[in-house]
């Protein structure tokens, strides 16, 4: 892993597996430790398809950003819960379509902070920024994001696999609504979430193992509860679905099995 500041390094716990590093491991990245690999392998034993979730979520991000930048003309993106940089980060996808796009990344993970420089590359026409902030600090996030984004114009709010860390349903819904309420009409919400469903019991076992051994703890929600995050928004077709089934590039001709990471895109009128 690249060098980090002394202050940042002190915040990184390499003795306990961590979500961002395990996700990175499943995606084939190198920014992880043996403790993360061991936990990731154990979770994969409990649920062999878990690596597909990480890939499906990442591909969902790419398709959603390309759609919003290309079809909807969105030029501003607020990506909260960024995770470790990997291939096709939000700014890379958006600026490939529209070089003038502006992106603000937000994460409170010291591991991500140590790698944030990789997220700050940009086209000359566009701009990127990184905030070391917690999702719960809505006012601070928006105040700082406004230094890069024009909040009087539409913004795509991206919350991929991050509200799973808010255990209380009411608090989670409130945070998302507060963020969307402050964004202009014509803004979009892109959200994904690990689900629980009776026909996917091995997912529950994998999450239980994680919550016993890893950090931070995860909260699963039913597909219906995930859909609740889009209340008051125009939910785009096909709704909240398995991430690999949200407007797949092949049109669904070769549809893979559902993964327990569901996502959707909604528009603020």
């Amino acid at each position: 892993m690249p060098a980090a500041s002394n202050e940042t390094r002190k915040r990184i716990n390499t003795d306990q597996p961590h979500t961002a590093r395990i996700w990175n491991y499943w995606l084939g990245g190198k920014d992880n430790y043996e403790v993360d690999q061991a936990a990731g392998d154990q979770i994969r034993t409990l649920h062999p398809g878990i690596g597909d979730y990480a890939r499906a979520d990442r591909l969902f991000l790419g398709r959603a950003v390309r759609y919003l930048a290309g079809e909807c003309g969105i030029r501003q993106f607020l990506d909260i819960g960024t995770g470790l940089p990997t291939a096709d980060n939000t700014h890379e996808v958006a600026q490939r379509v529209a070089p003038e796009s502006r992106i603000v990344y937000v994460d409170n993970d010291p591991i991500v902070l140590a790698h944030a420089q990789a997220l700050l590359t940009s086209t000359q026409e566009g701009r990127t920024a990184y905030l070391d902030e917690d999702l719960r600090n809505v006012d601070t996030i928006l105040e700082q994001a406004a230094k890069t984004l024009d909040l009087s114009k539409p913004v795509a709010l991206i919350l991929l696999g991050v509200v799973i860390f808010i255990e209380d349903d009411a608090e989670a819904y409130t945070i998302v609504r507060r963020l969307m309420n402050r964004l202009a009409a014509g803004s979009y919400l892109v959200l994904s979430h690990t689900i629980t469903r009776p026909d996917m019991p091995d997912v529950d076992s994998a999450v239980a193992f994680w919550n016993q051994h890893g950090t931070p703890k995860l909260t699963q929600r039913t597909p219906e509860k995930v859909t609740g995050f889009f209340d008051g928004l125009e939910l785009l077709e096909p709704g909240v679905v398995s991430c690999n089934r949200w407007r797949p590039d092949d049109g669904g001709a070769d549809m893979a099995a559902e993964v327990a990471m569901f996502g959707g895109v909604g528009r603020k009128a």
Side-chain angles (χ1 to χ4, degrees):
M1 298 177 74
S5 69
N6 288 335
E7 183 178 349
T8 300
R9 193 179 296 111
K10 290 176 182 177
R11 292 169 54 193
I12 299 176
N13 180 0
T14 60
D15 296 326
Q16 186 175 26
H18 191 282
T19 301
R21 298 193 308 249
I22 290 179
W23 206 253
N24 177 266
Y25 172 55
W26 285 333
L27 286 170
K30 299 179 180 179
D31 300 316
N32 50 77
Y33 297 95
E34 288 186 11
V35 66
D36 307 305
Q37 297 164 18
D41 290 340
Q42 181 62 40
I43 292 171
R44 194 149 39 194
T45 297
L46 294 169
H47 183 54
I50 194 71
D52 294 336
Y53 296 13
R55 289 186 290 273
D57 193 50
R58 196 71 192 175
L59 292 172
F60 167 60
L61 169 67
R63 294 196 303 275
V65 171
R66 281 196 301 273
Y67 172 77
L68 293 176
E71 300 295 325
C72 305
I74 296 296
R75 297 294 180 263
Q76 304 189 108
F77 298 82
L78 178 56
D79 187 339
I80 305 179
T82 301
L84 283 163
T86 183
D88 281 344
N89 300 295
T90 298
H91 74 282
E92 294 170 321
V93 177
Q95 292 181 346
R96 201 174 294 142
V97 176
E100 70 273 23
S101 297
R102 294 187 167 212
I103 296 87
V104 173
Y105 292 106
V106 184
D107 209 303
N108 70 334
D109 189 330
I111 302 161
V112 179
L113 177 60
H115 293 260
Q117 193 61 39
L119 298 170
L120 297 178
T121 58
S122 175
T123 58
Q124 290 185 346
E125 303 93 328
R127 189 175 171 189
T128 61
Y130 180 88
L131 304 179
D132 181 20
E133 270 300 338
D134 188 285
L135 170 63
R136 296 174 177 85
N137 299 331
V138 171
D139 292 336
T140 301
I141 287 174
L142 293 174
E143 177 184 341
Q144 294 301 312
K147 297 178 180 180
T148 302
L149 308 177
D150 181 353
L151 300 186
S152 69
K153 297 179 180 179
V155 174
L157 172 63
I158 300 175
L159 299 172
L160 296 194
V162 63
V163 291
I164 60 176
F165 301 123
I166 308 295
E167 181 178 4
D168 182 75
D169 287 348
E171 182 184 10
Y173 289 135
T174 296
I175 289 170
V176 175
R177 287 177 185 137
R178 285 181 63 202
L179 285 163
M180 289 305 299
N181 286 343
R182 295 277 295 276
L183 299 181
S187 292
Y188 288 82
L189 170 65
V190 182
L191 182 144
S192 70
H193 199 297
T194 303
I195 66 156
T196 180
R197 207 168 65 179
D199 61 334
M200 296 180 172
D202 49 345
V203 179
D204 298 343
S205 299
V207 171
F209 173 86
W210 171 256
N211 285 341
Q212 182 179 357
H213 299 280
T215 184
K217 308 303 181 188
L218 311 181
T219 297
Q220 295 168 273
R221 292 185 170 92
T222 64
E224 293 75 21
K225 284 190 174 182
V226 177
T227 302
F229 286 106
F230 294 92
D231 285 354
L233 303 177
E234 175 192 350
L235 186 59
L236 275 58
E237 293 293 336
V240 174
V241 295
S242 173
C243 281
N244 60 332
R245 297 194 173 189
W246 194 89
R247 305 191 179 196
D249 293 332
D250 63 3
D254 186 22
M255 187 69 72
E258 286 192 328
V259 298
M261 179 68 75
F262 273 40
V265 178
R267 182 181 184 275
K268 179 179 180 179

